[in-house]
């Protein structure tokens, strides 16, 4: 089956190489499209530029999330599941391909796709040439040209049918995901699966921080989100204490206390982390601050201070013995 079709888009031709099954997918914002692709030059040799099969994993894009090569959504929307098709696209549709390919190649190489990228306005990038780091892509960037895309569509998933990455969620979806992640984290803590629980709390915090970035600091919307963030960060820190990641706890509790210097629970967790890494003075200061801020925790503080004193005395004895052995002359 190799008939050539003209899509309802100027400068695009389609040739079906292998027919698909079912109806044409109904794409909507948030739908995830999974496919393999091969990019060829429109020359006599049909020179291969990229091939997703070489990376070993199919390509995925989320509809409506401003993928730089907009024409791909149009091409994929004309395909059925299982279909393999070849598309010829004029240069008016392929001008951004070099930048898209650069990012995909860097990801495949395990590198940051934004590494070395400088912020430039769209008008500036039209007149200012910068190397992509790949000779063949530099050529495409200097002289945009028609390209051939061979695509195999695997599946189209509705927005609610797959676990979406945080960046792909809408504001409402992020807010709905937070309590679910919180409950999952709590359930994992009860099972003493602290590493997995920490991941759930962290994912929930990321959702909220993304939303906070769009609010003005310390105004009502920002504060409401901050009130949701704080208990999640404290739960995350408790998991890290259980896992022995004490410096991780010191970092996050200190950051939290810079915004909320009256949070007794944050001081308590930071004190325990200080004690674990032998920062006696800092631990005592934080424990005493806890007792001052929340008298109901005085008994717990007293117990922790007693344990800290015993541990420090034992350490001092061991240190003295060790140092004495260093300076004794052999008989």
């Amino acid at each position: 089956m190799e008939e050539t079709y003209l899509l309802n888009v100027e400068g695009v031709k389609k040739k079906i190489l292998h027919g698909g099954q079912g109806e044409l997918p109904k794409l909507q914002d948030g739908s995830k499209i999974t496919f393999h692709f091969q990019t060829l030059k429109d020359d006599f040799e049909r020179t291969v530029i990229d091939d997703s099969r070489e990376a070993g994993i199919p390509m995925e894009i989320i509809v409506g999330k401003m993928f730089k090569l907009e024409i791909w959504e149009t091409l994929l929307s004309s395909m059925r599941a299982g279909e393999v098709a070849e598309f010829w696209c004029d240069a008016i549709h392929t001008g951004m391909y070099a930048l898209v390919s650069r990012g995909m190649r860097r990801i495949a190489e395990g590198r940051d796709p934004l590494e070395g990228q400088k912020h430039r306005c769209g008008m500036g990038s039209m007149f200012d040439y910068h190397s992509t780091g790949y000779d063949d892509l530099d050529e495409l960037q200097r002289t945009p040209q028609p390209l051939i895309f061979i695509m195999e569509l695997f599946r189209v998933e509705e927005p609610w049918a797959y676990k979406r990455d945080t960046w792909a969620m809408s504001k409402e979806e992020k807010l709905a995901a937070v309590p679910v992640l919180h409950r999952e984290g709590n359930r994992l803590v009860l099972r003493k699966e602290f590493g997995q629980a920490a991941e759930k709390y962290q994912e929930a915090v990321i959702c909220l921080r993304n939303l906070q970035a769009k609010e003005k600091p310390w105004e009502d919307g920002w504060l409401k989100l901050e009130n949701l963030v704080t208990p999640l960060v404290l739960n995350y820190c408790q998991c890290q204490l259980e896992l022995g990641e004490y410096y991780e706890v010191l970092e996050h509790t200190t950051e939290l206390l810079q915004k909320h210097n009256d949070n007794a629970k944050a001081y308590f967790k930071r004190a325990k982390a200080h004690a674990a890494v032998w920062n006696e003075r800092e631990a005592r200061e934080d424990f005493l601050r806890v007792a001052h801020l929340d008298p109901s925790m005085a008994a717990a503080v007293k117990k922790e201070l007693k344990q800290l004193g015993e541990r420090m005395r034992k350490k001092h004895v061991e240190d003295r013995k060790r140092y004495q052995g260093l300076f004794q002359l052999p008989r």
Side-chain angles (χ1 to χ4, degrees), residues 16-253:
I16 298 178
L17 307 180
H18 183 278
Q21 299 176 343
E23 301 294 327
L24 287 174
K26 295 180 180 179
L27 301 183
Q28 56 182 302
D29 283 359
S31 295
K32 181 168 74 172
I33 311 174
T34 305
F35 61 100
H36 265 308
F37 74 93
Q38 190 177 50
T39 305
L40 314 173
K41 282 187 176 182
D42 184 23
D43 56 14
F44 181 77
E45 296 84 5
R46 288 168 62 93
T47 306
V48 177
I49 301 173
D50 290 307
D51 189 339
S52 63
R53 293 184 184 279
E54 291 184 358
I57 54 174
M59 178 73 179
E60 294 179 349
I61 62 174
I62 307 296
V63 175
K65 294 302 176 182
M66 299 180 69
F67 186 64
K68 288 181 179 178
L69 204 63
E70 295 180 7
I71 192 62
W72 272 15
E73 287 187 14
T74 302
L75 306 184
L76 291 162
S77 68
S78 74
M79 301 177 67
R80 293 174 168 81
E83 180 179 323
V84 181
E86 177 180 308
F87 299 91
W88 177 91
C89 294
D90 199 358
I92 59 174
H93 301 296
T94 63
M96 294 295 292
Y97 184 77
L99 295 178
V100 171
S101 176
R102 173 185 182 271
M104 292 188 295
R105 290 185 187 185
R106 284 180 174 272
I107 291 171
E109 294 166 3
R111 301 163 63 189
D112 182 354
L114 300 179
E115 178 186 333
Q117 181 173 311
K118 297 180 179 179
H119 176 74
R120 306 196 315 279
C121 68
M123 188 62 70
S125 63
M126 289 174 63
F127 296 100
D128 189 17
Y129 168 74
H130 287 263
S131 173
T132 63
Y134 303 91
D135 292 341
D136 57 340
L137 298 183
D138 286 347
E139 178 192 346
L140 290 179
Q141 191 167 248
R142 282 191 296 265
T143 57
Q145 54 195 268
L147 294 175
I148 297 169
F149 301 112
I150 299 177
M151 294 180 160
E152 179 180 1
L153 178 63
F154 291 140
R155 59 185 173 274
V156 175
E157 297 171 87
E158 303 295 345
W160 56 85
Y162 66 93
K163 185 179 183 301
R164 303 179 67 183
D165 293 329
T166 301
W167 65 267
M169 293 181 181
S170 66
K171 177 180 178 179
E172 292 73 20
E173 289 168 334
K174 287 173 184 174
L175 287 172
V178 168
V180 175
L181 291 167
H182 199 158
R183 287 195 298 270
E184 289 180 1
N186 293 346
R187 179 179 58 82
L188 290 164
V189 166
L190 292 175
R191 294 167 55 178
K192 298 188 182 303
E193 297 178 14
F194 299 111
Q196 294 181 43
E199 290 178 2
K200 298 297 182 183
Y201 295 136
Q202 187 177 43
E203 188 176 349
V205 170
I206 290 172
C207 285
L208 294 171
R209 291 297 190 207
N210 287 343
L211 294 174
Q212 261 191 323
K214 300 176 182 178
E215 302 285 346
K216 290 185 178 180
W218 303 105
E219 292 195 355
D220 287 345
W222 189 94
L223 288 170
K224 287 179 181 178
L225 294 168
E226 186 67 16
N227 289 336
L228 297 175
V229 167
T230 300
L232 289 164
V233 172
L234 291 173
N235 287 358
Y236 173 82
C237 289
Q238 182 60 42
C239 290
Q240 297 303 322
L241 281 174
E242 299 288 349
L243 294 168
E245 299 291 344
Y246 303 119
Y247 290 102
E248 182 85 358
V249 177
L250 292 175
E251 177 185 349
H252 288 283
T253 50

Side-chain angles (χ1 to χ4, degrees), residues 299-311:
V301 167
K302 184 178 180 180
K303 180 181 177 181
E304 291 290 342
L305 287 172
K306 181 180 179 181
Q307 291 178 350
L308 175 62
E310 292 172 352
R311 289 181 69 241

